[in-house]
Amino acid sequence: MSIALGVERSVTGQPWRWRRAQEGELGRDALVDELLLGRGIAREDLARHRAPTIRDFLPDPSSFRDMDKAAARLAGAVKAGESIAIFGDYDVDGATSSALLVLLLRRLGVEPIVYIPDRLMEGYGPSGPALLALQDAGAKLVVTVDCGAQAFDALEAAHRAGLEVIVVDHHQCAAALPLCHALVNPNRLDEEAIGAAHGHVAAVGMAFLLGVALLRELRRRGYFNPSHPEPKIIDLLDLVALGTVADVARLQSLNRAFVTQGLKVMATRQNVGLVALAEAARLVKNPSCRDLGFALGPRINAGGRVGKSDLGVRLLTTTCPEEARTLAAQLDRLNEERRAIEMLVLEAATDQAEQQGDVPLILVSAPGWHPGVIGIVAGRLKERFGRPAIVIAEDEDGTGKGSGRSISGVDLGAAVLAAKDSGLLRAGGGHAMAAGLTVGPGGIPALRNFLHERLAADVEQARQGRSLLLDTMCAPRGVAAGLCDALDAAGPYGAGWPSPRVVSGPARLIKTGVVGNGHVRGLACGDDGASFKWIAFRAADTPLGQTLLAAGSDRRFWLAGSIKRDEWNGGDRAEMHLDDAAFA
């Protein structure tokens, strides 16, 4: 990739490179194709990626190990009228996975038991007592979603008690698998081909695939008839889209189809819980991919983080508009509470991180930190310091519960699993970009040393290879709503499918200042006489923000970022969400 505009070191200290060689100004269709090609799509495969559909991307569910076994057992339970329990994680992926199976089973005439563990009292994943409590409540079959791949002791206890368990997960697995009836997970170590193609699918996507397999098995057994028709599953894609985006799963191939089609379903406003949540989040238009990650997702998460863990599932499965509005308002209040707690923890964690120097991985800890926000804080630290980060909340006895976020090219989940296998952790797991762990009293120094040694080379390589990738450029006059439409045509954008980065300039900066929670914004005035608004989020204390604030009106810059509609002014104009700048 060639250097862009001669920028070998920007304000943030990185070179700029073109994602693909520039070929002058492009029309809309050509620009869309260039964006797809720049994200790794082969030219002969462009057609199906321009408008991704479920038909084009959904794999045969039977290609996943244990899927047919899981579907057969679940179909048998449905036909026999057995009591089925859904055990879900307390985050958005877990809530949407649970809700999807609940709604599908209801359409099949089954009202399942739902169990979401309390984050603070029970922690992540199924426990032996929780599973046995479900058995005591009458459950003959338990389906765990977004958890269970590492629940060896709990699943062994269930097996001894004669309780059958199906695990539907996507987190990394160890070489040995826990004892259960079926374990459906694209990241099993014996799923090399599937893992390469679909290892990025979130748990809610795997739950959808199980639903497809279940309907197919019931169809094969003659379960459906004119008086009991086969229910649709495609209209549950709104839940799949929400869980996929909120879990920061890579929006490639199947996931991109899930989100593209799921947003269309969401626009039909069929799920009264999602409608109420959008209203509580004060969304005035049909939700976008960004809204799923920054408006709806955090509110669902707030229940598991600082409130009652089952609020999200209850909201997503209710059919009563009044109950939906009540639950959505409760989640909205909890989200505000979560934000306040997060700010306090982030301030203390940042102070610790700044004292650690240039280490491969930021690891901070303290007693009293709320475990419900440590994952968010880890993500903030990762963004600020450009390195993987782990935040650990210590209990009164010194036991630490941690959450980590990683950077591209550094597999944090594998490192945490290795630490667990080395005896440094009581529990731990995750995937490449995120991980969770439990460390015993006094164990943090040894864990820090282990992770520094294991990840040093990967982090160094990732940081040395860091550069800002640009998709296209335009004059300041070109930063307009029409450009937004052209860029959006290659979406939806998110993790693994980055929002197009546009460079514009040269431009002088005027009316620069700090707004909100440390955001820097201003106007860029180009040599072509046009101007556009720009904003750099949470940048006031960063080198980028400081440079922008100190710039005089005679200094000219190239500005790089994503182009978004200026919703405050009706969406007819556009602004740039700034990632970087360079002197022109």
Side-chain angles (χ1 to χ4, degrees):
M1 291 180 282
S2 60
I3 289 289
L5 302 170
V7 178
E8 296 189 354
R9 185 175 178 82
S10 69
V11 169
T12 63
Q14 60 187 329
W16 287 5
R17 300 184 185 278
W18 295 117
R19 201 181 297 271
R20 281 178 53 82
Q22 294 299 288
E23 300 178 2
E25 191 169 341
L26 300 172
R28 175 179 172 134
D29 291 345
L31 176 58
V32 169
D33 285 353
E34 283 298 309
L35 293 173
L36 296 176
L37 291 167
R39 281 149 185 76
I41 304 305
R43 189 171 292 278
E44 59 272 18
D45 204 21
L46 285 174
R48 68 174 185 149
H49 284 272
R50 291 191 188 105
T53 65
I54 301 301
R55 181 185 297 274
D56 282 342
F57 285 94
L58 193 73
D60 180 354
S62 297
S63 60
F64 293 85
R65 290 185 184 274
D66 278 6
M67 182 67 85
D68 288 343
K69 189 177 181 182
R73 179 64 185 90
L74 199 51
V78 169
K79 287 198 71 174
E82 291 182 282
S83 180
I84 302 169
I86 308 298
F87 188 109
D89 189 21
Y90 36 62
D91 68 358
V92 185
D93 194 17
T96 51
S97 302
S98 301
L100 186 150
L101 291 181
V102 168
L103 293 175
L104 181 61
L105 288 171
R106 280 181 184 170
R107 296 174 185 182
L108 294 170
V110 176
E111 184 61 44
I113 304 168
V114 181
Y115 191 102
I116 309 294
D118 183 275
R119 180 189 290 263
L120 298 181
M121 302 302 295
E122 298 176 81
Y124 171 77
S127 64
L131 293 177
L132 296 183
L134 289 172
Q135 186 179 43
D136 291 341
K140 301 299 183 185
L141 174 67
V142 175
V143 182
T144 74
V145 285
D146 198 29
C147 58
Q150 296 283 333
F152 291 90
D153 293 343
L155 294 180
E156 184 176 346
H159 179 75
R160 287 199 304 267
L163 177 63
E164 291 185 286
V165 180
I166 294 169
V167 173
V168 180
D169 203 352
H170 70 129
H171 295 97
Q172 290 179 344
C173 295
L177 296 176
L179 191 60
C180 57
H181 181 80
L183 195 153
V184 181
N185 186 331
N187 290 304
R188 288 173 50 151
L189 295 185
D190 56 357
E191 286 276 35
E192 289 186 16
I194 282 292
H198 302 295
H200 57 286
V201 173
V204 68
M206 297 307 301
F208 182 85
L209 285 163
L210 175 60
V212 172
L214 170 61
L215 293 178
R216 184 173 62 186
E217 179 63 19
L218 287 171
R219 191 185 315 129
R220 188 185 69 79
R221 296 187 185 194
Y223 185 72
F224 304 116
N225 54 60
S227 61
H228 191 184
E230 181 174 337
K232 290 183 178 180
I233 192 173
I234 205 76
D235 61 2
L236 297 178
L237 282 173
D238 49 3
L239 298 175
V240 182
L242 175 57
T244 297
V245 173
D247 212 52
V248 201
R250 295 204 311 273
L251 298 191
Q252 297 172 351
S253 57
L254 177 58
N255 279 347
R256 191 160 162 261
F258 277 152
V259 176
T260 299
Q261 302 306 321
L263 286 170
K264 294 178 182 177
V265 173
M266 199 173 292
T268 66
R269 298 168 64 89
Q270 297 179 50
N271 186 300
V272 297
L274 286 176
V275 171
L277 192 64
E279 291 173 352
R282 294 162 286 281
L283 298 181
V284 296
K285 297 182 178 180
N286 291 330
S288 66
C289 188
R290 179 177 175 82
D291 292 331
L292 303 189
F294 291 94
L296 304 185
R299 285 169 170 80
I300 295 288
N301 254 336
R305 292 187 186 281
V306 297
K308 294 182 179 178
S309 58
D310 66 346
L311 288 176
V313 177
R314 287 168 55 195
L315 174 72
L316 297 174
T317 56
T318 185
T319 57
C320 173
E322 184 176 348
E323 182 186 21
R325 285 190 292 270
T326 299
L327 291 169
Q330 190 173 354
L331 286 168
D332 190 50
R333 289 192 299 272
L334 288 170
N335 191 49
E336 291 301 318
E337 181 182 335
R338 185 271 307 168
R339 284 178 175 170
I341 296 170
E342 175 195 328
M343 287 182 64
L344 294 173
V345 176
L346 177 60
E347 183 178 356
T350 301
D351 288 343
Q352 279 194 40
E354 288 176 339
Q355 299 172 23
Q356 294 187 6
D358 190 21
V359 292
L361 170 138
I362 298 291
L363 194 155
V364 295
S365 63
W369 285 354
H370 197 299
V373 302
I374 55 177
I376 303 173
V377 172
R380 297 273 190 253
L381 296 180
K382 178 207 74 171
E383 292 173 7
R384 175 160 183 163
F385 295 97
R387 282 167 274 171
I390 293 177
V391 180
I392 298 176
E394 298 176 56
D395 294 340
E396 291 182 359
D397 68 352
T399 299
K401 294 182 179 179
S403 186
R405 300 292 183 269
S406 195
I407 60 176
S408 180
V410 180
D411 191 335
L412 185 59
V416 167
L417 272 180
K420 178 187 173 187
D421 291 342
S422 297
L424 298 174
L425 296 173
R426 291 181 176 177
H431 46 82
M433 300 300 288
L437 57 87
T438 302
V439 58
I444 291 176
L447 174 65
R448 177 185 286 111
N449 292 337
F450 177 89
L451 293 175
H452 281 180
E453 182 176 348
R454 180 179 175 91
L455 296 176
D458 289 344
V459 172
E460 179 65 21
Q461 183 175 353
R463 295 179 72 188
Q464 282 185 351
R466 187 173 70 112
S467 60
L468 193 77
L469 300 182
L470 304 175
D471 289 284
T472 189
M473 70 179 296
C474 69
R477 190 177 301 280
V479 180
L483 178 59
C484 292
D485 293 339
L487 297 174
D488 286 348
Y493 300 105
W497 195 264
S499 182
R501 191 173 284 119
V502 177
V503 60
S504 186
R508 301 183 319 280
L509 309 184
I510 63 172
K511 298 183 179 180
T512 304
V514 179
V515 297
N517 187 24
H519 312 315
V520 180
R521 75 173 308 147
L523 278 177
C525 301
D527 294 346
D528 60 357
S531 63
F532 62 87
K533 293 180 181 179
W534 56 266
I535 184 168
F537 293 105
R538 295 189 297 273
D541 295 328
T542 68
L544 175 61
Q546 293 294 310
T547 299
L548 298 172
L549 290 167
S553 60
D554 57 336
R555 191 64 138 131
R556 295 159 77 239
F557 287 86
W558 293 108
L559 301 180
S562 54
I563 308 299
K564 305 294 182 183
R565 284 184 178 272
D566 182 0
E567 299 293 350
W568 292 104
N569 290 304
D572 293 330
R573 303 192 66 183
E575 65 181 14
M576 179 179 285
H577 292 183
L578 207 63
D579 294 319
D580 204 354
F583 297 115

